[in-house]
Amino acid sequence: EVLLRPTQVSSVTFHMKSIPWFGSDVTEGDMKFMLDSLKGSNDTSLTKLGNLWETRFAENKFITTEHVFWNSPYGFSQMKTVSPDLYSDLTKAEFLFFKGDLNYRKLVNDRMWPYDTSFTTALEGFNPAKLCALRTIKSDSIVNCDSSRVEKIVEEDKGKDKLFCGAYALISCNIA
């Protein structure tokens, strides 16, 4: 909703997964279920939100799309070659938001980068538009982070369990 304010963007596209890999992955069916649940809620504010979002979809201010690439094993740096149609679609965006640990890992090619590697470097040329990745840390693919801070967390925890259990999060952006 915030993005649709007059000074922001004209539409928001949600890229759905064909099948969910994780519980947080969203499919077209999930989106419909959410809208129906909101509209059918006993809470009037949720009903109002569901009706508003249904209107957003009807007016093409909210758009959903699926692509097989999102369920592929490829890192995002390979998208331009493997799925040039999707990469081309993403170049039309004003800004891209990626959420979740798996998307982050695919953005940085699931590599064991030195923690202080810049996000832009780790993207390895994936740059269809300005982008931001939001994720809770559940794996050791971490970039754009002060190495001493990561090492301090690991040392305080006597291992990496606390670091990789979702207790910490990262926001990484490439806005060049």
Side-chain angles (χ1 to χ4, degrees):
E1 276 306 309
V2 170
L3 295 175
L4 291 175
R5 292 190 178 149
T7 59
Q8 303 301 319
V9 298
S10 60
S11 67
V12 175
T13 301
F14 298 93
H15 290 266
M16 307 289 173
K17 298 250 177 112
S18 303
I19 57 170
W21 278 11
F22 293 103
S24 60
D25 290 340
V26 178
T27 64
E28 295 267 359
D30 295 327
M31 185 65 81
K32 181 177 178 352
F33 178 80
M34 180 196 64
L35 283 175
D36 290 343
S37 296
L38 288 170
K39 292 185 314 178
S41 174
N42 293 328
D43 184 316
T44 56
S45 59
L46 292 179
T47 302
K48 184 177 177 182
L49 183 63
N51 289 328
L52 174 62
W53 285 357
E54 184 176 58
T55 300
R56 297 287 193 222
F57 279 108
E59 297 171 342
N60 286 326
K61 292 187 183 251
F62 282 176
I63 301 162
T64 60
T65 184
E66 285 184 0
H67 195 285
V68 68
F69 181 85
W70 302 121
N71 288 99
S72 77
Y74 299 106
F76 290 178
S77 67
Q78 297 169 289
M79 183 188 294
K80 192 185 269 188
T81 303
V82 174
S83 296
D85 58 323
L86 176 59
Y87 192 89
S88 176
D89 285 347
L90 296 181
T91 65
K92 299 169 188 162
E94 294 178 45
F95 205 94
L96 301 169
F97 286 99
F98 291 89
K99 68 105 189 139
D101 190 64
L102 180 60
N103 282 326
Y104 181 90
R105 289 167 54 192
K106 290 178 83 169
L107 280 164
V108 301
N109 294 294
D110 209 8
R111 292 196 178 153
M112 297 289 299
W113 297 95
Y115 295 134
D116 58 357
T117 302
S118 77
F119 185 55
T120 302
T121 298
L123 290 172
E124 294 188 305
F126 180 73
N127 192 25
K130 296 175 183 177
L131 65 90
C132 181
L134 315 166
R135 62 90 75 122
T136 54
I137 301 172
K138 297 177 187 168
S139 70
D140 45 8
S141 288
I142 300 171
V143 298
N144 214 46
C145 213
D146 182 340
S147 294
S148 63
R149 176 74 176 125
V150 175
E151 290 163 9
K152 183 177 179 184
I153 293 168
V154 171
E155 181 183 315
E156 288 173 356
D157 189 46
K158 308 290 188 254
K160 292 185 176 182
D161 290 345
K162 186 175 182 182
L163 182 62
F164 302 129
C165 72
Y168 293 90
L170 284 174
I171 298 173
S172 300
C173 297
N174 183 32
I175 56 174

